[in-house]
DNA sequence: TGAGCAAATCTGATCGTTCAAATACCGCGG
DNA sequence: CCGCGGTATTTGAACGATCAGATTTGCTCA
């Protein structure tokens, strides 16, 4: 039994009114007299009528869809965030009555080719972009084309672009560091990425701020690339410096995983002998019971969809980008009583 | 400068032909005389015309979109596969000239509510579904509604439904086991999930088949839940049984991770002292340099899109479901020369 | 030269919705 | 009882593409 294609005409006929009246019942209910409205609404419910989005799109020149590019390549680290974010976008889309079209322009000439296609074919009328980087051609192209968009992640090097939301990495590390002190670790070291990465430097700043705000002097710190062996090696010396009863805040879950491995290699129990925290609350943070900082992807998705929606309505861009505070997820790796 | 909304009329006018001729140039080029075709094509290219998908949808009653439900909940294990699969779908969609609409019916009354909405509003005209389970109401609902769909993963308990593709887990474990023997490990044990899970039992069968086919007797085996501590505990005894120079094939990357940890705890170097393989080629398999079996998500995505496309054209369902062979990814964890 | 025919191209109608403008309705004062 | 102002509802047109059927073009052959 095929789901009947109930059109506005069917409803109009069944309710004994005109098509326009049915349309008004949905879009401008205040234009109808109460009894008419009720009658139409009940027929709509009875027949299960839903306006055809294709017809609405044609009429309004709006598709009600936002595009989101999924890149095949990308570090595991990145994917750990992008997938939950994609889910969050899809969830929040309903509330903004739109839907999400994912696309991937593998094998495209230019990075904007996929975007151009989607716009030309009128498949979407706005985009959410992620993984913006310095010199990213996408914001400029979208601006020039007059296509609304909002970015998950700061648009580096373009202070004039304010349609973005990002995670406050400094706040995340402040929370993690404060937590380590609060549960009683004597000293708080830091394992970060090599200096010069904007995100890494921001996270490190959070660790410094929380430490000094607590009236302590900075604990030992070390740097490692986003690689498990490198992290483990760096951590091995670092935990010796903080000693038993100390803890290490890390710039990522992978680095925290390195600390966990280094601790085990030494025969120390993570949490009891040495504490550690990561960032991103990735799948392996859960597996290894690592305390981590969970990115507020749902809040961000909602905010970004709201942004593009406002831009589509012709509203102005926001005053500035938005930073959202991540949430600490405590697990055994930062519990001295483990 | 807004991307101009070039319509078929603009092209027609510029080329000095009628709308229909322009349409034919794209849909039925053989109907045009060579010079006309070339003229029209060059104008199309010049103006950057792309047919409006909204208008096409309205006319054809086809949206050219397939829906894919993203579930917020779900084990980390599952997400490790679903994300690459989502990317693969988005990539392959271009080749089937359709696009992918992700949705999520968080807080829906019934599991089919989101599907019903998408169909009623004519947002998509088919679905790809994942995570089918025994008693899943979705296939039945979709069949009844006459909506084409194809499943990633067998439709358990419904042998009459053949629109699915899955990974041949037995083949994956055969390949992994054969590889372990080929590189010289003396004995091949197995760490699997508790009996009774269809996927787990199938993988175990692959290990048994490869072992007996090689003329050896089965190595030791153990079971553990999909939990790192449980896996590590089970693995600790297991690697003692296979001893140095032995190897363990595992039913999942997480279990292999447990073996890796157990080996390290014993002071053994993964790969050199004891080999291990996982399944899924998840992010942490890469991080830990675990040999794993990579699911052919791209092939499966392409096949499934092809399936729904055929169904939309009115074609018959396939004779049977399709199993695709995964690909072994060798890393240090199965290299005795590490 | 013109009839006959096929191939190439064009016009009309349609998909389902919504805006704008036109019409029907209603109560009230003259 | 008519007309007036205002509200409630209806009709016409349009969004852009494509199918079906009409029309034109181009060619062959009597």
């Amino acid at each position: 039994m095929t789901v009947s294609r109930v059109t506005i005409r069917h409803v109009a006929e069944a309710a004994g009114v005109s098509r326009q009246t049915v349309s008004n019942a949905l879009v401008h209910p205040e234009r109808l007299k109460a009894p008419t409205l009720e009658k139409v609404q009940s027929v709509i419910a009875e027949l299960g009528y839903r306006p055809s989005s294709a017809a609405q799109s044609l009429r309004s020149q709006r598709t009600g869809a936002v595009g989101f590019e999924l890149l095949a390549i990308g570090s595991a680290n990145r994917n750990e965030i992008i997938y939950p974010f994609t889910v969050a976008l899809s969830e929040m889309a309903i509330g903004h009555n739109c839907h999400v079209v994912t696309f991937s322009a593998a094998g495209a000439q230019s990075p904007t080719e996929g975007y151009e296609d989607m716009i030309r074919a009128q498949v979407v009328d706005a985009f959410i972009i992620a993984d913006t980087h310095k010199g990213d051609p996408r914001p400029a192209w979208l601006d020039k084309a007059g296509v609304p968009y909002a970015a998950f992640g700061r648009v580096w090097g373009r202070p004039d672009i304010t349609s973005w939301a990002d995670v406050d990495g400094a706040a995340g590390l402040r929370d993690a560091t404060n937590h380590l002190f609060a549960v009683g670790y004597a000293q708080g070291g830091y394992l970060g990425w090599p200096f010069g990465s904007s995100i890494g430097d921001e996270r490190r700043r959070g660790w410094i701020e929380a430490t000094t705000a607590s009236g302590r002097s900075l604990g030992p710190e070390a740097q490692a690339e986003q690689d498990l062996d490198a992290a483990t090696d760096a951590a091995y010396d670092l935990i010796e410096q903080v000693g038993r009863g100390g803890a290490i805040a890390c710039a990522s879950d992978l680095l925290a995983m390195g600390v966990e491995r280094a601790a085990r290699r030494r025969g120390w129990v993570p949490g009891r002998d040495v504490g550690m925290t990561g960032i991103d609350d990735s799948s392996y943070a859960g597996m290894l019971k690592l305390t981590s900082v969970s990115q507020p992807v749902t809040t961000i998705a909602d905010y970004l969809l709201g942004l593009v929606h406002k831009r589509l309505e012709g509203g102005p861009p926001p005053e500035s980008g938005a930073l959202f505070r991540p949430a600490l997820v405590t697990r055994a790796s930062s519990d001295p009583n483990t």
Side-chain angles (χ1 to χ4, degrees), chain A:
Chain A
M1 198 58 66
T2 299
V3 171
S4 50
R5 293 241 169 282
V6 184
T7 76
I8 205 170
R9 290 193 128 86
H10 299 137
V11 178
E13 204 161 331
V17 296
S18 71
R19 343 183 277 293
Q20 185 60 36
T21 302
V22 179
S23 175
N24 285 336
L26 292 169
V27 190
H28 305 286
E30 76 284 359
R31 290 187 188 166
L32 301 193
K33 263 203 307 211
T36 322
L37 179 58
E38 279 163 36
K39 172 68 184 163
V40 174
Q41 282 173 337
S42 79
V43 174
I44 286 175
E46 191 185 333
L47 301 184
Y49 166 72
R50 289 282 314 263
S52 151
S53 72
Q56 288 182 316
S57 299
L58 180 57
R59 181 81 247 259
S60 65
Q61 303 290 50
R62 284 280 172 75
T63 66
V66 297
F68 183 57
E69 185 181 21
L70 293 179
L71 297 167
I73 45 105
S75 63
N77 182 49
R78 175 190 159 276
N79 293 353
E80 291 281 341
I81 292 306
I82 291 296
Y83 179 67
F85 179 68
T86 311
V87 177
L89 268 184
S90 310
E91 267 177 2
M92 293 298 107
I94 313 161
H96 294 268
N97 53 38
C98 65
H99 40 264
V100 177
V101 175
T102 58
F103 67 102
S104 170
Q109 302 291 318
S110 83
T112 56
E113 196 178 307
Y115 292 83
E116 202 163 343
D117 276 1
M118 300 289 274
I119 286 295
R120 281 257 168 69
Q122 285 175 256
V123 174
V124 301
D125 31 44
F127 293 97
I128 302 292
I129 64 180
D131 299 300
T132 54
H133 51 267
K134 233 170 192 143
D136 194 329
R138 297 174 302 167
W141 187 86
L142 291 166
D143 274 333
K144 194 167 149 235
V147 178
Y149 66 95
F152 175 25
R154 273 155 274 205
V155 182
W156 303 100
R158 289 292 304 272
D160 54 313
I161 295 178
T162 57
S163 292
W164 56 260
D166 206 347
V167 180
D168 188 343
L173 257 122
R174 278 202 304 273
D175 289 349
T177 307
N178 286 331
H179 163 73
L180 289 174
F181 291 143
V183 295
Y185 291 104
Q187 207 186 161
Y190 181 74
L191 179 56
W193 292 319
F195 297 119
S197 93
S198 331
I199 299 177
D201 295 352
E202 181 188 68
R203 294 182 180 179
R204 177 167 174 270
R205 183 165 56 77
W207 166 68
I208 294 174
E209 287 169 2
T211 307
T212 47
S214 78
R216 305 168 200 242
S217 56
L218 287 180
E221 67 174 307
Q223 282 78 39
E225 294 286 349
Q226 182 75 355
D227 170 88
L228 189 54
D229 286 337
T232 310
D233 290 344
Y236 199 74
D237 296 334
L238 199 52
I239 60 175
E240 171 146 19
Q241 293 174 59
V242 295
R244 270 184 207 257
I248 310 286
C250 303
S252 75
D253 279 346
L254 188 138
L255 294 177
M257 190 167 166
V259 177
E260 196 262 2
R261 286 164 68 85
R264 297 234 181 243
R265 195 181 290 179
R266 220 173 243 287
W268 290 4
V269 175
R272 194 186 66 194
D273 298 318
V274 60
M276 67 215 62
T277 63
I279 271 212
D280 275 1
D281 195 21
S282 52
S283 59
Y284 41 92
M287 284 165 31
L288 291 166
K289 304 198 175 63
L290 295 177
T291 290
S292 191
V293 172
S294 159
Q295 307 219 15
V297 283
T298 308
T299 313
I300 292 179
D302 195 47
Y303 174 78
L304 294 178
L305 288 172
L307 271 193
V308 294
H309 196 260
K310 273 195 210 99
R311 297 307 304 276
L312 280 168
E313 304 290 297
E319 290 288 312
S320 67
L323 281 184
F324 290 92
R325 194 180 195 107
L328 194 70
V329 179
T330 59
R331 297 203 182 86
S333 83
S334 67
D335 181 354
N337 308 312
T338 305

